[in-house]
Amino acid sequence: DSGVTQTPKHLITATGQRVTLRCSPRSGDLSVYWYQQSLDQGLQFLIQYYNGEERAKGNILERFSAQQFPDLHSELNLSSLELGDSALYFCASSVRGSTGSGNTIYFGEGSWLTVV
Amino acid sequence: SQKIEQNSEALNIQEGKTATLTCNYTNYSPAYLQWYRQDPGRGPVFLLLIRENEKEKRKERLKVTFDTTLKQSLFHITASQPADSATYLCALLSFSGGYNKLIFGAGTRLAVHP
């Protein structure tokens, strides 16, 4: 158990809908990262927050947004869902704000999203 | 363009042998490289980190090498066991757009047969 908690574990929704994925980082971790993993794409970095502020951005679609709250939990909002958004969405956390120092990131178990 | 390449084909080996997985990258100059293990439907788990000024790192039955000239990292599991069967991901630091980001390869699936 990494200590990173993600909900829901599984979600099935229709195209055009909006969903929210939630992540609670490990106790004491200030950074939260979101990754998307699909069968043909591997792990794709979406976005990182550090202590409530956006720190780094990857290939996140405009239809997706995220935020980190004062209690450090984070939410990833996915809207106008398309079939291609079906994937496993991982949240990860780390103590420090920059991966540049080599600090380890710890992954949750993921949220499976199926868009039908 | 920047690429991280890992063998897409599964690696099948016999129990007790040494498994060697490869991670090649182009157009990166990473300060470090990490290796993760991922079991089906689970989140990746950190295994080892090796910095650009380190040639080799060991942890129990695991060994990682890092050759910045060849732009390659090798990941070895000695005395492999069926429990080592999983997908192994390499990840490296990419600095772009003013940010450091940890970028992952697609992973190599390892199957250790009794």
Side-chain angles (χ1 to χ4, degrees):
Chain A
D1 181 6
S2 67
V4 178
T5 304
Q6 290 187 247
T7 57
K9 290 194 184 332
H10 300 273
L11 191 56
I12 301 175
T13 191
T15 54
Q17 296 298 305
R18 172 190 168 96
V19 298
T20 297
L21 309 180
R22 182 188 165 102
C23 169
S24 293
R26 291 188 326 150
S27 176
D29 283 1
L30 299 178
S31 269
V32 168
Y33 310 76
W34 286 97
Y35 283 84
Q36 178 194 55
Q37 188 174 42
S38 53
L39 283 174
D40 58 345
Q41 289 281 339
L43 262 174
Q44 300 292 314
F45 171 69
L46 296 178
I47 198 163
Q48 178 202 352
Y49 279 81
Y50 175 73
N51 206 19
E53 302 281 331
E54 183 183 301
R55 176 60 66 94
K57 218 166 186 176
N59 300 323
I60 187 166
L61 300 172
E62 285 191 11
R63 299 184 286 110
F64 296 0
S65 64
Q67 53 184 325
Q68 186 179 28
F69 296 87
D71 67 353
L72 301 177
H73 91 270
S74 177
E75 292 181 354
L76 179 67
N77 301 295
L78 314 174
S79 61
S80 303
L81 284 167
E82 301 174 0
L83 296 177
D85 297 328
S86 295
L88 191 50
Y89 290 85
F90 285 108
C91 171
S93 73
S94 68
V95 172
R96 294 191 291 272
S98 172
T99 48
S101 56
N103 69 119
T104 302
I105 65 173
Y106 296 87
F107 283 82
E109 294 302 321
S111 291
W112 281 96
L113 172 65
T114 302
V115 182
V116 297
Chain B
S1 63
Q2 295 178 319
K3 279 186 187 177
I4 305 172
E5 292 180 338
Q6 296 186 256
N7 287 350
S8 57
E9 291 183 14
L11 178 63
N12 290 283
I13 64 166
Q14 210 64 29
E15 182 176 7
K17 300 292 186 185
T18 296
T20 298
L21 287 72
T22 305
C23 176
N24 294 300
Y25 58 92
T26 54
N27 295 322
Y28 285 107
S29 296
Y32 64 80
L33 190 146
Q34 299 182 349
W35 283 88
Y36 287 77
R37 168 184 173 139
Q38 186 175 24
D39 291 286
R42 308 294 299 273
V45 175
F46 171 78
L47 295 175
L48 277 170
L49 178 152
I50 186 165
R51 300 188 186 279
E52 60 179 340
N53 60 350
E54 296 174 318
K55 296 292 184 192
E56 184 179 296
K57 200 79 156 300
R58 291 176 185 261
K59 179 182 174 184
E60 297 172 353
R61 294 184 296 111
L62 308 180
K63 184 179 88 170
V64 171
T65 62
F66 193 11
D67 189 326
T68 55
T69 302
L70 291 179
K71 295 187 181 299
Q72 182 182 79
S73 175
L74 298 178
F75 177 79
H76 306 273
I77 305 176
T78 57
S80 59
Q81 304 165 2
D84 295 325
S85 299
T87 295
Y88 291 86
L89 308 168
C90 72
L92 52 80
L93 190 67
S94 168
F95 184 78
S96 65
Y99 304 116
N100 284 315
K101 304 165 196 173
L102 196 60
I103 307 298
F104 285 80
T108 298
R109 190 159 53 87
L110 172 67
V112 181
H113 302 282

